[in-house]
Amino acid sequence: MSHPEHPLLEMRNIEKQFGNIVALAGVSFAAHAGECHCLLGDNGAGKSTFIKTMSGVHPPTKGTMLVNGQPVVFDTPRTAMNAGIATVFQDLAMIPLMSVTRNFWMGREPTKGWGPFKRFDVKFANAVTMAEMSKMGIRLREPDQAVGTLSGGERQTVAIARAVYFGAKVLILDEPTSALGVRQTASVLATIDRVRKQGVGIVFITHNVRHAMAVGDCFTVLNRGRTLGTARRGEISAEQLQDLMAGRQEIASLEGSLGGTV
Amino acid sequence: MSHPEHPLLEMRNIEKQFGNIVALAGVSFAAHAGECHCLLGDNGAGKSTFIKTMSGVHPPTKGTMLVNGQPVVFDTPRTAMNAGIATVFQDLAMIPLMSVTRNFWMGREPTKGWGPFKRFDVKFANAVTMAEMSKMGIRLREPDQAVGTLSGGERQTVAIARAVYFGAKVLILDEPTSALGVRQTASVLATIDRVRKQGVGIVFITHNVRHAMAVGDCFTVLNRGRTLGTARRGEISAEQLQDLMAGRQEIASLEGSLGGTV
Amino acid sequence: MNPPGILQSSPAVPVDERIKRISPLAKLMRRPELGAVAGLILVTGFFLAVADPVMFNLAGLVNFLTPAAQLGIMALGASLLMIGGEFDLSIGSMVAFAGLIFGASITVLHLPLLAAVPLTLAVAGIIGVVNAAIVIRTGLPSFIVTLAALFILRGLSLVGLKWATGGSTQLRGIAEAVQGQAFLGLFSGKVFEGLFATLTEHRWLPRFDNGEPMITGLPVEIVWFVGLTALATWVLLRTPLGNWIFATGGDPAAAKNSGVPVRHIRIGLFVVAAMCAALVAIITVLDSGSTDARRGFQKEFEAIIAAVIGGCLLTGGYGSAVGAFLGSIIFGMVMIGLTYTRIDQDWYLVFLGGMLLVAVLFNNSIRKRVTGER
Amino acid sequence: MNPPGILQSSPAVPVDERIKRISPLAKLMRRPELGAVAGLILVTGFFLAVADPVMFNLAGLVNFLTPAAQLGIMALGASLLMIGGEFDLSIGSMVAFAGLIFGASITVLHLPLLAAVPLTLAVAGIIGVVNAAIVIRTGLPSFIVTLAALFILRGLSLVGLKWATGGSTQLRGIAEAVQGQAFLGLFSGKVFEGLFATLTEHRWLPRFDNGEPMITGLPVEIVWFVGLTALATWVLLRTPLGNWIFATGGDPAAAKNSGVPVRHIRIGLFVVAAMCAALVAIITVLDSGSTDARRGFQKEFEAIIAAVIGGCLLTGGYGSAVGAFLGSIIFGMVMIGLTYTRIDQDWYLVFLGGMLLVAVLFNNSIRKRVTGER
Amino acid sequence: QNIAVVTHGQANDPFWSVVKNGVEAAAKDSGVKVTYRAPESFDMVAMSRLIDAAVNQKPDGLVVSVPDASALGAAIQRAVKAGIPVITINAGLESSKKLGALLHVGQSEYDAGKSAGEKLKEMGGKNGICVNQEVGNVSLDLRCKGFADGFAGKTKVVPTGNEPSEVRAKVKAALDSDTSIDTIMALGAATAGEPAVAAAKDSGRLAKIRIATFDLSAGFLKAIAAKEAAFAIDQQQFLQGYMPVSFLALHAKFGLMPGGNVPSGPNLITSEKVSQVIELSAKGIR
Ligand SMILES: Nc1ncnc2c1ncn2[C@@H]1O[C@H](COP(=O)(O)OP(=O)(O)OP(=O)(O)O)[C@@H](O)[C@H]1O
Ligand SMILES: Nc1ncnc2c1ncn2[C@@H]1O[C@H](COP(=O)(O)OP(=O)(O)OP(=O)(O)O)[C@@H](O)[C@H]1O
Ligand SMILES: [Mg+2]
Ligand SMILES: [Mg+2]
């Protein structure tokens, strides 16, 4: 392969069961610095479950994880974060009753002052939040608005802006553009591109083959808890990828009636 | 215009404020039988707020609503449903702790028996749920699984299948395909097409211009709480629509770097 | 890493390879109430080992099942309301207030039983509607609204008792006033007395040393308790109404958006909870023949405890009537059981708290083990 | 319908036309605690109109602020815990238990105040950790776990008191034992006595008919109450820790996924709530010179009421320390105030419930009106 | 032998803990086994179940308090019918015979209240308050009623909770808002009596106010000794626990039983008698 050095993050033979439900049946995967690795697959294939084990939300039932070639165990998301992994979860992990700023900084609040008088630097936090949001194409009314009252896309943008801002080594994005408008989507894709060029490894989950092809360096397809394999950019065409994701089923007939627009 | 008779559902000059936040500043709109009316717009434009007034979730601050030309007031979603309006909300309106079947039928449970012995017909309900879900391309493990443990796309499919099953006259879909895989998306678009042909009026919210062009008969673009106008199919091209939605801003420059993939 | 070649070999998968076989036991244990069975077995085992064996002869069983049934009827109402996402803290005071209404309508207004019972239930129902209306109108948490009702009803009971008795806080003579009236047997006394007498004669039931039977019949509240549990279970699991209750408690906004008449459900549940308390008031007033201002003190609390032991979530949307049933029995057994042991009364509360905790922990760990959750 | 031609004329919109001007008052009223100000004003107005005016001279104020402060210190701990999404029902019993530990360590172990206070706080803290550990480990609701602790601590207080006294439920002689010890003034007696004496001399403070001052200083619990409210407010609003507490209560899963150390926060909050109760125990024990087995009975309940009046949500993630402060004062005023009126005392509970309800309703409607919510 | 004691007083009630101490002392002295049971609040329904449970174990004797004869009657009669000797204590003098009990030990709360009221009236009281820490508890309400009837002046009930600071604030509020109050009747020495003394001090009228209490506590007795308070009514409830148990033990052994009721009080503790009582009170004997 083209990466003789250790990948930033490697997952080997990850299995995960919830009670009697098997969500992952042995999946391997690696994220390299400066690359965007796309994770694709049908609904319920296990993508979200997989990246949740990467970011320490739940421990895998079986399998090993390596960061820079060293085996690690992430017992909480905080450990994963401290290892430089930032994640946009599909459910966004936001607190509806709290303000945009407080959500943005949750867990890593900037402080000023010293000793016992160290305090949350609200002004700085507000300013950074507004700036990062407008970089993503959302102009907030006020940083104090509760996240629960934002529109779906606005909320998703907060989660993305937060992860990008804090994503030190690996940035995991679980369907980040699902609720976004055209402009915001473009801006997120551009951001992925920019961040990647800074040497961050990116894991990008999407159902949109065009988005995947636009920014992906590597493509892994999951199906029913198993990996169908990994391909590098250029080794696979958009059509092949589409076929793989959809399991090559009724898609052809549908395409006919809808004029190839999906 | 091409519709001399009354539209199924008409909204006139709808305004909506939340406290000091103005979400809608006078929007008009109509849904006709057998047509798919696409509602497009940037994040936070007010699309979800608008369709929530249509489906009785919150009353408009100002404005009138007409069903078949008669003014109506929907004080609860139940009234709207009884008028034949079914909605897939952006947040899906599902109860995570309840099973798929119970969520599917929530509010309109099938019964058997008579009088005081009338009871929830579980067998029938389960069978219909499994069937409707598989029509959408999702094969559930069991109808008793709690919705909270479904994947994002599976959950969205339950909401769509439910609305389609009960959508008597008007079917409102708020970004129904955002979390769906390729196959499921195709199946939803095909479903829209099929339902429309049966004479149901459809309101379809999406950020994906391709999806809108594939099934839309009519396109209304919202921007910052106002409507930018309505166009019929053929009067507008995909590029024009895209421009309108994105506000014709940085999009061009982004497109360049990403190779027109958005 | 997998070479890209693998991409072509998509394996043909059977239908549900993603679902492991699950034992029927595990499937059963998934039901919220059945965890409480483990707690019940544990507590029973403890008393079998420690307590006087008479605790578990028929007289002993009835002895602790009677308060369990009185608590349980309230716990049923409370658990339905909790499943629907609300609390009613006023049901304890409601026992005193409904007892006053019932007692006063019999001794002061001289109404017959057949009028006093519906009147009492109606008053309770109206108070339930008022509670519900305030909660729904204002959007305030039901905790604070029914807490105010707790104080107000308790206070009104005191004032009313003083008014009805001319200065005392205890109203007597109710049992005498209704003696021999129609339908009395529905709310008072024992059932199956003939059967019990025959059984005692044949020495199948325990007697005192002088030959008196230890137990003469099944207290009527136990019959109500079992009947209402069955009814509530049927409603919850087998009717649309049950689905609506779960939905209302699980996420009221989502339920409303899906067309569930959330308001009506809430009002109905408050009424049911209040009426359950009133029924307990009627039964206990007839049983004791008197009522006083402290009746039902903290029963709201015990009802909620019983419901929670039985697996109801405080946050709503999850629970069962059978769970409340089992929870009440556990609570009643622990409450009375100490009497059958030689443990010092001073340790009663330590014992009660410890048993509760152990029962709930045991419940929980058994259920997790069996269903394989973590 | 708009003709398609309009499509081209996209209006040039200014930056924030979508946000209406909002009055500074409305902005203030959005804070959770400031709704409670309306309730406080209402209740104060009521008593100004109805009660004997001595209620509001300085001596009268101190009279009802003292129990309010004792309740308030517990309400602060309870409200922080509630904001963090948990309950502690054992804080009432903790007052009795910590009182026992404190009293016994002074009268039985003959420890000096300087050792007894940290010991008491440490024991309370450990119990808080145990509660938290059980809640976190098992995932059981804190309601049921701390309820068991409520019973256990209450029971242990009785057993311990009987052990410490040789059979009585009251342990006395504590005040005498610590007389004159260092730092006693921190937990007992009054502060600013010099200032008050001067003020009385200049006739700025009321006196008795015989010239004795009506009030000789500010009880120390009021100072603690104000100080702790300020501290808690600062932590909640101005530190990362405060953000974590809100996040933990708002959605523990989301908070955890965002890197908030949810476990540590929870443990810390349980410890704080328990220590607040222990502080109240120390202050009241020194104040009355004795402790008994019924101290703090139902205080957990009152603390939660005060927090809820002050705008805390029972579901967690929303509330404020100032709200708990105001809620405690409202509750304290209503509790003591009736005695200053000519209303028949039999109506006490009706009155208490009615005032609570009215205060909360008034709160709510004022806030909605001002902020324009519906 | 086994003797069961069921009362309506919680184990942590200072009054009833003394009764329980008496029960335990008698058990030790007479060499019998006793179980002492009580509901955790004033709950007649629960109490009748506790009696049933005790009776189910066929004890050799049963001691009960009867604050509500109609609610407890059935359970007590069941014991009598089963041939178990029953002695009533504390409350229930009126109904003791009717229910079939052998005798009654103690004094009615009403009478104790009445004699205290008479004494306070004799001391010159005209306007009194009755500090009730548990309104609705029938025995406490009877104490208040007895006081009001014996006092025959102006009286008012001040309902409070169990917390000393709250009682103190309320009593002070009552004193401040009605300056003609000259008498305080507290229904419990530790919970209501001691804070009442403190409140009277706070309001600067200690010298003008007669304070009396039911039951004893060391703190209140000290106030009596210091002439800050008038007197305490002692039912000598230790006897209510001790005597019935030893009677029943003797009854079981030799068939002995006294011929009539035993009044254990009232016994007014004034400043003359106080010194001998303080130590015993701190130990839970008086
Ligand atoms: N907590 C859970 N308990 C039981 N089953 C679960 C749980 N979480 C996920 N699952 C199941 O595991 C499977 C994989 O879910 P996952 O969310 O990883 O899918 P996904 O690939 O992210 O799908 P989507 O594209 O729809 O988001 C699903 O079938 C889901 O039902
Ligand atoms: N309850 C509320 N309180 C305050 N503001 C609200 C509330 N609901 C919506 N808003 C605001 O109204 C605006 C319109 O929201 P809406 O959800 O309708 O947008 P949308 O067009 O659906 O966006 P998206 O495409 O991101 O879903 C947003 O800016 C949002 O912040
Ligand atoms: Mg997913
Ligand atoms: Mg939307």
Side-chain angles (χ1 to χ4, degrees), chain D residues 7-363:
Chain D
L7 279 175
Q8 269 68 44
S9 65
S10 148
V13 279
V15 181
D16 48 3
E17 90 289 357
R18 292 176 306 165
I19 187 159
K20 287 203 303 190
R21 227 186 57 78
I22 179 175
S23 74
L25 177 65
K27 204 150 191 175
L28 252 185
M29 291 297 284
R30 282 233 205 108
R31 299 255 354 115
E33 63 272 21
L34 284 159
V37 170
L40 185 60
I41 291 173
L42 181 80
V43 173
T44 310
F46 173 83
F47 282 113
L48 277 173
V50 169
D52 194 314
V54 296
M55 181 171 174
F56 290 100
N57 70 24
L58 193 58
L61 282 176
V62 167
N63 188 39
F64 73 74
L65 282 180
T66 308
Q70 291 172 3
L71 172 63
I73 294 173
M74 296 180 68
L76 279 177
S79 71
L80 287 180
L81 190 55
M82 270 167 74
I83 294 172
E86 303 283 342
F87 283 103
D88 191 346
L89 297 179
S90 70
I91 54 176
S93 304
M94 178 61 84
V95 171
F97 189 71
L100 164 70
I101 299 286
F102 181 66
S105 61
I106 283 177
T107 60
V108 179
L109 304 182
H110 303 291
L111 292 184
L113 191 65
L114 257 186
V117 169
L119 177 71
T120 307
L121 292 176
V123 170
I126 289 171
I127 294 171
V129 171
V130 171
N131 275 338
I134 296 179
V135 168
I136 293 172
R137 267 287 163 81
T138 62
L140 287 170
S142 53
F143 175 87
I144 192 81
V145 172
T146 58
L147 184 84
L150 178 160
F151 290 128
I152 293 174
L153 290 179
R154 177 69 60 197
L156 286 179
S157 307
L158 176 67
V159 175
L161 276 169
K162 286 207 158 175
W163 162 80
T165 61
S168 165
T169 60
Q170 192 194 25
L171 180 67
R172 16 160 265 107
I174 301 161
E176 291 83 350
V178 296
Q179 205 114 56
Q181 288 195 10
F183 295 100
L184 181 59
L186 265 183
F187 303 104
S188 156
K190 312 203 159 156
V191 292
F192 308 133
E193 295 192 279
L195 177 68
F196 276 68
T198 325
L199 287 177
T200 313
E201 221 164 279
H202 292 82
R203 308 204 149 266
W204 287 335
L205 285 181
R207 306 189 194 194
F208 291 120
D209 297 343
N210 62 2
E212 281 286 312
M214 252 195 186
I215 174 168
T216 58
L218 202 61
V220 71
E221 48 263 63
I222 296 182
V223 180
W224 274 103
F225 180 39
V226 173
L228 287 177
T229 304
L231 179 66
T233 303
W234 187 73
V235 168
L236 280 181
L237 297 184
R238 283 282 164 270
T239 66
L241 186 58
N243 213 21
W244 297 357
I245 294 174
F246 279 111
T248 302
D251 184 341
K256 196 174 159 217
N257 288 353
S258 309
V260 173
V262 168
R263 274 159 177 262
H264 293 119
I265 296 290
R266 283 210 180 121
I267 295 175
L269 290 176
F270 271 103
V271 170
V272 166
M275 283 193 173
C276 282
L279 177 64
V280 171
I282 293 171
I283 290 174
T284 52
V285 165
L286 286 175
D287 187 36
S288 65
S290 65
T291 183
D292 64 64
R294 293 187 166 194
R295 285 290 160 84
F297 184 64
Q298 297 211 313
K299 279 283 175 267
E300 65 282 345
F301 220 46
E302 294 177 4
I304 293 176
I305 297 170
V308 172
I309 298 177
C312 278
L313 283 189
L314 288 163
T315 43
Y318 191 79
S320 74
V322 175
F325 177 88
L326 295 171
S328 306
I329 294 180
I330 293 180
F331 194 78
M333 198 188 306
V334 172
M335 201 165 58
I336 305 294
L338 186 74
T339 322
Y340 284 106
T341 68
R342 307 219 68 84
I343 302 171
D344 185 345
Q345 299 289 329
D346 282 349
W347 290 85
Y348 169 64
L349 285 175
V350 182
F351 174 80
L352 178 65
M355 283 305 270
L356 280 186
L357 189 61
V358 170
V360 176
L361 288 180
F362 189 68
N363 264 347

Side-chain angles (χ1 to χ4, degrees), chain B residues 52 56-57 75-78 81 89 91-98 102-103 105-111 116-120 122 139 141-142 144 154 162, chain C residues 14-16 18-19 27 30 234 236-244 246-261 263 313 316-318:
Chain B
K52 278 186 186 160
V57 173
D75 47 356
T76 65
R78 202 171 173 81
M81 272 172 204
F89 294 99
D91 62 8
L92 304 182
M94 299 276 207
I95 317 284
L97 282 173
M98 283 166 60
R102 283 180 175 262
N103 265 290
W105 294 93
M106 181 162 61
R108 309 183 200 73
E109 292 77 4
T111 52
F117 300 103
K118 217 187 237 175
R119 59 197 184 278
F120 186 14
V122 177
R139 202 189 278 125
R141 294 191 185 81
E142 39 176 7
D144 283 344
E154 289 168 341
R162 170 173 73 176
Chain C
V15 180
D16 49 2
R18 293 177 305 165
I19 186 157
K27 205 148 190 178
R30 283 234 203 107
W234 187 72
L236 280 180
L237 297 183
R238 283 282 166 270
T239 66
L241 186 58
N243 213 21
W244 298 357
F246 279 111
T248 302
D251 184 341
K256 195 173 160 218
N257 289 352
S258 308
V260 173
R263 276 160 174 260
L313 283 190
Y318 190 77

Side-chain angles (χ1 to χ4, degrees), chain A residues 47-49 90 174-175 205, chain B residues 151-153:
Chain A
K47 305 179 295 298
S48 298
T49 307
Q90 195 167 11
D174 193 354
E175 307 193 22
I205 298 183
Chain B
S151 83

